[in-house]
Amino acid sequence: MEGISGFLPIIAMFAVVYFFMIAPQMKRAKQEKQFASALKRGDKVITKSGMHGKIADLNDKDNSCIIETMSGKLKFDRSAISMEMSKALNKTTTDLKK
């Protein structure tokens, strides 16, 4: 019985780490994957490096997209598009339309 009580703090520590660090990270990765797959032509986006533009074309073969900016068209990987900043950008443009 003493052997189990010695492992109990370690098991509790692992549970805390899982529920506060690992599970939220997996949830966020799943949301970002859904966001990247839901992108469509004409969406206004911001990349993680800060590039603003509009999606001109999507390529499902190599999971990339072509973003049209004021200086031309650039090819980016879909994972380079920031979910938070793009949602905030689209939220402010819909608020301005009202």
Side-chain angles (χ1 to χ4, degrees):
M1 198 64 161
E2 290 180 20
I4 294 174
S5 64
F7 286 115
L8 194 58
I10 295 171
I11 293 170
M13 193 168 44
F14 178 74
V16 167
V17 167
Y18 178 79
F19 286 112
F20 287 110
M21 296 180 78
I22 298 171
Q25 186 176 10
M26 289 180 1
K27 182 180 176 184
R28 180 177 168 83
K30 185 178 178 182
Q31 288 175 342
E32 286 191 19
K33 189 174 182 180
Q34 288 175 344
F35 173 77
S37 66
L39 290 172
K40 58 187 181 298
R41 291 181 81 183
D43 285 348
K44 292 182 179 180
V45 294
I46 302 174
T47 64
K48 291 179 181 175
S49 62
M51 180 87 56
H52 291 244
K54 185 169 62 170
I55 296 180
D57 194 21
L58 295 167
N59 188 352
D60 290 331
K61 288 182 182 177
D62 62 352
N63 206 21
S64 65
C65 61
I66 296 176
I67 298 177
E68 185 176 350
T69 64
M70 293 182 77
S71 62
K73 293 182 179 181
L74 302 167
K75 185 175 182 177
F76 280 97
D77 194 46
R78 287 189 193 185
S79 64
I81 297 173
S82 173
M83 180 176 68
E84 293 88 20
M85 290 190 281
S86 295
K87 283 185 178 181
L89 174 71
N90 289 324
K91 185 177 180 182
T92 57
T93 56
T94 56
D95 290 343
L96 293 175
K97 290 180 183 178
K98 291 181 181 179

